[in-house]
Amino acid sequence: MPAPDIAPFIHSHQFNHADAKAERNTRHVVFITAAMMVVEIVGGYWLNSMALLADGWHMSSHALAMGLSVMAYVLARRYAKDGRFAFGTWKIEILGGYSSALLLAVVAALMMVQSLERLFVPAAIQYDDAILIAVLGLGVNLLCAWLLKGEHPHEHGHAHGPDHGHAHGHGHAGHRHHDVNLRAAYLHVIADAATSVLAIVALVGGKLYGAAWLDPAMGIVGSVLVARWAWGLLRESGRILLDAEMDQPVVEEIRDVVRQRFTTAAVSDLHVWRVGRDSYACILGLVASSAIRAEDVRRELAIHEELVHVTVEVAVA
């Protein structure tokens, strides 16, 4: 008997009101960021502020990265019913987040290079106008952060279990979904806000105390901060894309179920990978000294609602 198709389940749970809201708000943020980017870059060149210029170029790359996030949402929705995607299109969003993280790392490197150059080759800065633009930029960043804030919990329930030797099951409820693509866009905005704050501090310090070196110094601090965020996002999204998540708590929970409920069996093969936000698929192989029904194993595993697709194979030794 053929195994049931998980794709309709994944697709039906892939998109909801929160996804549509995230896509819409991210699109709005792209437009707002692009407009402010132009103001800061032009103002930075005109007023000779490295901190302001770094913030502007930083914002330009973020506009591009968040554009990638919007594209990821669009593609994931467009191909949601495409049967070629065995576990749905959720990883398109993860790929968008990973690409955004790469751009964030490039931004950090450019900020560092430009700030070091300006540290050794200073230029006169028109502080009053530069401070005004930096404050405006910070306000725009805070507005964008507000648009992108929050992760939304959603509750779903579904169960399916065919009556044959290889059992497949789906079931999850009360999950708090974590949108990596949205988090990538949010981190870009937060990084923009941080560099805006650093720019304001540098410009005010330079104006009040004549410390022109603060301007490029804050650019260097901002580049380190952005690099740390980029690395964290690369690690998180990269692990998902490479299915390198066998250290997740759900893996040990599966082993615990076998040890506690099926004392005559041992795990011979186990593969767990993510197929959605906080949703996992599992292939479990058991070697038992007495007959065990795969359906019974799947039923015991159903207590872990994050397991939305389970395949069990039992071999009697």
Side-chain angles (χ1 to χ4, degrees), residues 51 119 198-199 201-206 209-220:
L119 187 63
L198 292 175
V201 171
L203 291 168
V204 170
Y209 306 107
W213 58 270
L214 272 175
D215 188 73
M218 287 302 180
I220 293 172

Side-chain angles (χ1 to χ4, degrees), residues 64-73 75 89-103 179-182 184-185 188 233-234 237 241:
L64 176 59
M66 287 184 286
L68 286 175
S69 295
V70 172
M71 185 181 298
Y73 282 124
L75 292 175
T89 56
W90 174 71
K91 282 193 176 179
I92 293 178
E93 297 179 22
I94 305 303
L95 185 60
Y98 185 83
S99 301
S100 293
L102 288 176
L103 283 174
D179 188 336
V180 175
N181 193 47
L182 181 61
H188 278 280
L233 188 57
L234 280 171
S237 55
L241 291 173

Side-chain angles (χ1 to χ4, degrees), residues 16-71:
N16 47 46
H17 174 71
D19 294 312
K21 181 180 179 181
E23 179 184 339
R24 182 175 63 254
N25 287 347
T26 304
R27 187 182 295 112
H28 292 162
V29 167
V30 171
F31 294 143
I32 295 171
T33 301
M36 192 62 219
M37 166 203 77
V38 174
V39 173
E40 288 201 325
I41 290 177
V42 172
Y45 276 117
W46 186 262
L47 303 172
N48 287 324
S49 170
M50 186 59 229
L52 192 59
L53 187 59
D55 193 24
W57 281 116
H58 182 206
M59 193 171 278
S60 71
S61 67
H62 287 185
L64 176 59
M66 287 184 286
L68 286 175
S69 295
V70 172
M71 185 181 298

Side-chain angles (χ1 to χ4, degrees), residues 47 54 75 78 101 125 130 133 140 159 166 185 188 205 215 231 245 280 313:
L47 303 172
L75 292 175
R78 177 175 298 176
I125 301 171
I133 294 176
V140 167
H166 289 200
H188 278 280
D215 188 73
W231 174 243
E245 297 195 290
Y280 297 84
E313 297 180 350

Side-chain angles (χ1 to χ4, degrees), residues 37-307:
M37 166 203 77
V38 174
V39 173
E40 288 201 325
I41 290 177
V42 172
Y45 276 117
W46 186 262
L47 303 172
N48 287 324
S49 170
M50 186 59 229
L52 192 59
L53 187 59
D55 193 24
W57 281 116
H58 182 206
M59 193 171 278
S60 71
S61 67
H62 287 185
L64 176 59
M66 287 184 286
L68 286 175
S69 295
V70 172
M71 185 181 298
Y73 282 124
V74 171
L75 292 175
R77 185 180 69 251
R78 177 175 298 176
Y79 293 105
K81 296 182 180 180
D82 192 323
R84 293 176 299 174
F85 295 89
F87 289 98
T89 56
W90 174 71
K91 282 193 176 179
I92 293 178
E93 297 179 22
I94 305 303
L95 185 60
Y98 185 83
S99 301
S100 293
L102 288 176
L103 283 174
L104 201 60
V106 171
V107 167
L110 290 176
M111 287 175 62
M112 177 65 76
V113 170
Q114 291 181 330
S115 297
L116 287 173
E117 288 178 351
R118 187 57 61 90
L119 187 63
F120 293 105
V121 185
I125 301 171
Q126 300 181 41
Y127 287 108
D128 291 337
D129 293 334
I131 291 171
L132 179 62
I133 294 176
V135 171
L136 178 60
L138 177 60
V140 167
N141 290 325
L142 293 177
L143 171 62
C144 292
W146 177 79
L147 287 173
L148 296 176
K149 72 179 177 66
E151 297 173 11
H152 310 277
H154 301 282
E155 295 187 359
H156 306 290
H158 180 78
H160 178 73
D163 189 17
H164 57 82
H166 289 200
H168 305 263
H170 318 295
H172 62 129
H175 279 20
R176 185 169 185 82
H177 292 171
H178 180 58
D179 188 336
V180 175
N181 193 47
L182 181 61
R183 180 169 178 262
Y186 184 75
L187 278 182
H188 278 280
V189 170
I190 292 299
D192 272 336
T195 53
S196 292
V197 170
L198 292 175
I200 292 171
V201 171
L203 291 168
V204 170
K207 173 181 171 60
L208 296 180
Y209 306 107
W213 58 270
L214 272 175
D215 188 73
M218 287 302 180
I220 293 172
V221 172
S223 68
V224 173
L225 186 62
V226 172
R228 286 176 57 86
W229 286 335
W231 174 243
L233 188 57
L234 280 171
R235 288 184 61 188
E236 180 181 4
S237 55
R239 281 165 54 91
I240 296 173
L241 291 173
L242 295 173
D243 295 325
E245 297 195 290
M246 287 298 290
D247 58 348
Q248 292 296 306
V250 67
V251 176
E252 190 59 31
E253 289 169 356
I254 293 170
R255 295 184 184 276
D256 286 341
V257 168
V258 175
R259 283 193 293 263
Q260 296 170 12
R261 301 295 185 181
F262 304 95
T263 56
T264 62
V267 175
S268 60
D269 191 27
L270 179 59
H271 302 278
V272 179
W273 66 101
R274 207 184 305 196
V275 294
R277 295 169 205 158
D278 295 326
S279 301
Y280 297 84
C282 166
I283 297 175
L284 173 63
L286 298 177
V287 175
S289 58
S290 60
I292 293 177
R293 292 181 359 127
E295 289 84 353
D296 293 336
V297 178
R298 179 190 60 78
R299 189 176 300 111
E300 293 292 339
L301 289 174
I303 190 174
H304 299 296
E305 64 274 7
E306 65 269 35
L307 293 172

